[in-house]
Amino acid sequence: MKAALLSLLWLSLVLHSHAQLQNGFYNGKCGTNNVEATIQKYVAQRFASDQTIVAGLLRLMFHDCFVHGCDASILLDGPQSEKTAIPNKTVFGFDLINQIKAALESMCPGVVSCADIIVAATRDATVLAGGQQFDVQTGRRDGTTSFSWLVNLPPPDISVSDSITLFESKGLSSFDMVVLMAGHTVGVTHCSVIKNRLYNYQGTGGPDPSMLGWYMWYIQTYVCPKDATWDNIVYLDDYSSLYTVDNSYYKQLVAGKGILPIDAELASSWQTSWAVNLLANEWGSAFPSLFSQSMVKLGQVDVLTGTQGQIRKVCNSVN
């Protein structure tokens, strides 16, 4: 029965290519240069000195694709661009994308889009962090507009039902949502984000009872003391797996050690708890493949292709 259910879910994740996205889109379009190998080289160089770039790129891609589609609009500068929206103020990795773009422009000007660089670079970072190698379809074009008021991203305290609705509006299933949330396996938050959960859950004046007791005590005592004057970093996964893309995130949730409110609710909601439990246990070995498939689907959200948009000369400005 479980095998049959897994097969059905696998079929639900079968990738339907966008009409003009394709594997190997840049083959032969940059002289003798291999576009994807060039992107991979720069990502590997950054990863060697800064493993947090994995979380940075995953977040950058998610924030780009969820707002106006995967069109690199998050990279554009401007007084009211997406970059200026509060959820994007802590996004990083822009410098790496710009570095890769400059290298590719020197090889073949006006050929490779910033939108494709984001998707390919995020794939490469994920693989370096232990994820499964997978092909990304390319052929995206870059958008020409970016507005902060269009930024509508799921906050850390969003309900599971509202999150499912938001993901479905992007053509992503509730299972895709659960799988993509595993990006938190390399993610962090800050004490200010979870303060209410630690000390005044739903106005009770106490902690959230759904978090494992000793773990709550540890976070309160050593990571986010109530009267602390600093806003400490809180890792969203087990310390032994901080920079590894794996299914340990789900094991944390099942054990009552989810950090963000949405993490905790994923493990308790009837809509998602079944998937969390399977991904933490029986389907753990299938997680790398499922994650890669959902990442490809994310990269297909509302893309520009053909003659739409443009190929920017630099990623932070329109031509």
Side-chain angles (χ1 to χ4, degrees):
M1 180 66 180
K2 290 177 181 175
L5 181 57
L6 178 55
S7 296
L8 286 172
L9 281 169
W10 204 286
L11 286 172
S12 76
L13 290 172
V14 170
L15 306 174
H16 299 286
S17 301
H18 187 280
Q20 296 177 14
L21 289 183
Q22 58 185 274
N23 293 333
F25 177 83
Y26 292 110
N27 291 349
K29 293 181 176 156
C30 195
T32 59
N33 299 294
N34 185 316
V35 170
E36 290 197 32
T38 299
I39 296 172
Q40 184 180 43
K41 180 184 76 171
Y42 282 94
V43 173
Q45 289 175 353
R46 178 67 173 268
F47 180 82
S49 62
D50 179 15
Q51 290 182 305
T52 67
I53 192 60
V54 182
L57 290 175
L58 280 167
R59 193 157 177 248
L60 192 156
M61 178 178 165
F62 180 78
H63 284 215
D64 182 47
C65 292
F66 249 58
V67 180
H68 217 250
C70 306
D71 66 348
S73 55
I74 193 174
L75 303 180
L76 290 172
D77 290 333
Q80 294 181 311
S81 70
E82 291 173 32
K83 275 185 181 178
T84 67
I86 291 176
N88 288 333
K89 289 185 179 294
T90 54
V91 173
F92 64 96
F94 300 111
D95 59 327
L96 176 58
I97 302 300
N98 290 336
Q99 180 186 29
I100 295 170
K101 175 63 173 175
L104 290 170
E105 281 294 302
S106 69
M107 296 175 183
C108 46
V111 173
V112 185
S113 71
C114 301
D116 277 341
I117 293 172
I118 291 174
V119 173
T122 303
R123 181 273 310 275
D124 294 336
T126 300
V127 172
L128 288 169
Q132 175 179 282
Q133 177 66 44
F134 61 97
D135 292 330
V136 292
Q137 296 175 320
T138 44
R140 295 167 189 79
R141 305 264 293 177
D142 298 322
T144 57
T145 59
S146 181
F147 302 111
S148 60
W149 58 83
L150 293 178
V151 175
N152 179 28
L153 295 160
D157 60 349
I158 191 173
S159 68
V160 163
S161 59
D162 286 346
S163 186
I164 288 174
T165 298
L166 184 56
F167 272 74
E168 288 181 341
S169 74
K170 308 298 180 182
L172 299 165
S173 69
S174 60
F175 189 69
D176 286 318
M177 181 196 76
V178 176
V179 172
L180 289 170
M181 284 289 186
H184 289 176
T185 189
V186 291
V188 300
T189 188
H190 288 83
C191 292
S192 58
V193 176
I194 61 170
K195 186 173 182 179
N196 284 342
R197 188 170 182 228
L198 297 176
Y199 298 106
N200 189 29
Y201 178 66
Q202 295 184 349
T204 62
D208 182 348
S210 70
M211 186 180 285
L212 186 65
W214 72 262
Y215 193 65
M216 173 67 77
W217 171 85
Y218 171 80
I219 297 294
Q220 290 176 326
T221 305
Y222 295 105
V223 184
C224 301
K226 188 173 186 178
D227 299 322
T229 56
W230 65 92
D231 194 12
N232 208 358
I233 287 175
V234 188
Y235 293 100
L236 301 182
D237 199 356
D238 184 80
Y239 292 129
S240 66
S241 183
L242 292 182
Y243 303 114
T244 305
V245 175
D246 57 18
N247 75 323
S248 64
Y249 164 74
Y250 303 108
K251 294 179 180 179
Q252 289 284 102
L253 303 192
V254 170
K257 296 162 71 175
I259 294 295
L260 297 174
I262 182 61
D263 293 334
E265 192 180 343
L266 283 176
S268 61
S269 170
W270 66 268
Q271 294 171 290
T272 53
S273 60
W274 63 272
V276 169
N277 278 279
L278 286 170
L279 288 163
N281 298 293
E282 294 97 321
W283 291 1
S285 61
F287 166 74
S289 179
L290 294 170
F291 187 71
S292 65
Q293 291 182 63
S294 289
M295 283 292 291
V296 174
K297 288 180 69 175
L298 173 63
Q300 295 176 338
V301 172
D302 296 334
V303 296
L304 302 175
T305 60
T307 59
Q308 299 172 319
Q310 62 182 214
I311 304 297
R312 293 186 210 143
K313 297 176 181 177
V314 292
C315 288
N316 61 339
S317 176
V318 296
N319 296 341

